[in-house]
Amino acid sequence: MTSPAPPENAHPYLRAASAGVRHHTRALAPPDAAQPRLADRQHLDALHAHLAALLHLLDRLAEATRPPRPAAGRLLATAHTRLWQATNDVHNAFHVLPADASADAEARACRPDQLPDEPPVLTTCQRHLAAGHVVRRKTTPADLNTPVPGHTTTCSH
């Protein structure tokens, strides 16, 4: 039994977001560049926002899928946990990268208790705490610390 082919306009915003990620990936290493562009804090902030949005999408898909299709729901929940691990690593990388030369030490600090300068944009840390709250509500600490199968690197922090 096969699924019917989705219409071309199915999930247009998700398709556009995927196309944007593909375009950005190509732009990071244009064929004529000697080296790819290095990540900076603004880049990782935007990537973290994208991953956090994907976390919310996977969470809703897993919740909606689990009752009628438990096996698929469990797999989506596992994907949600793995995506959280990636989001957490991007957040940590954000703090490892140096801030702009014009930024002072307080601006570089992780301050989730402070409101962002310009609403409705959240700071990376506020967004990370909000996403982490949702993840921890539905995931055990053991699941969050379980390495991805085949993943052999270790964290240094």
Side-chain angles (χ1 to χ4, degrees), residues 81-82 84-85 88-89 135-136 139-149 151 153-155 157:
T81 300
R82 300 300 181 233
W84 166 253
Q85 291 170 334
N88 193 45
D89 287 341
V135 169
R136 287 181 181 89
T139 311
T140 67
D143 287 339
L144 291 176
N145 293 317
T146 301
V148 176
H151 187 69
T153 61
T154 59
C155 295
H157 53 90

Side-chain angles (χ1 to χ4, degrees), residues 50-60 80 83-84 87 131 135:
H50 188 76
L51 292 172
L54 286 173
L55 275 169
H56 291 294
L57 176 61
L58 263 177
D59 183 44
R60 291 206 173 172
H80 182 263
L83 184 59
W84 166 253
T87 305
V135 169

Side-chain angles (χ1 to χ4, degrees), residues 68-126:
R69 304 278 189 253
R74 281 191 303 276
L75 289 170
L76 289 173
T78 299
H80 182 263
T81 300
R82 300 300 181 233
L83 184 59
W84 166 253
Q85 291 170 334
T87 305
N88 193 45
D89 287 341
V90 169
H91 175 255
N92 291 338
F94 174 88
H95 287 291
V96 172
L97 286 177
D100 295 337
S102 61
D104 62 2
E106 188 163 331
R108 291 190 307 259
C110 184
R111 299 296 309 263
D113 56 321
Q114 291 182 347
L115 292 174
D117 292 335
E118 298 177 15
V121 178
L122 294 176
T123 66
T124 299
C125 296
Q126 288 170 322

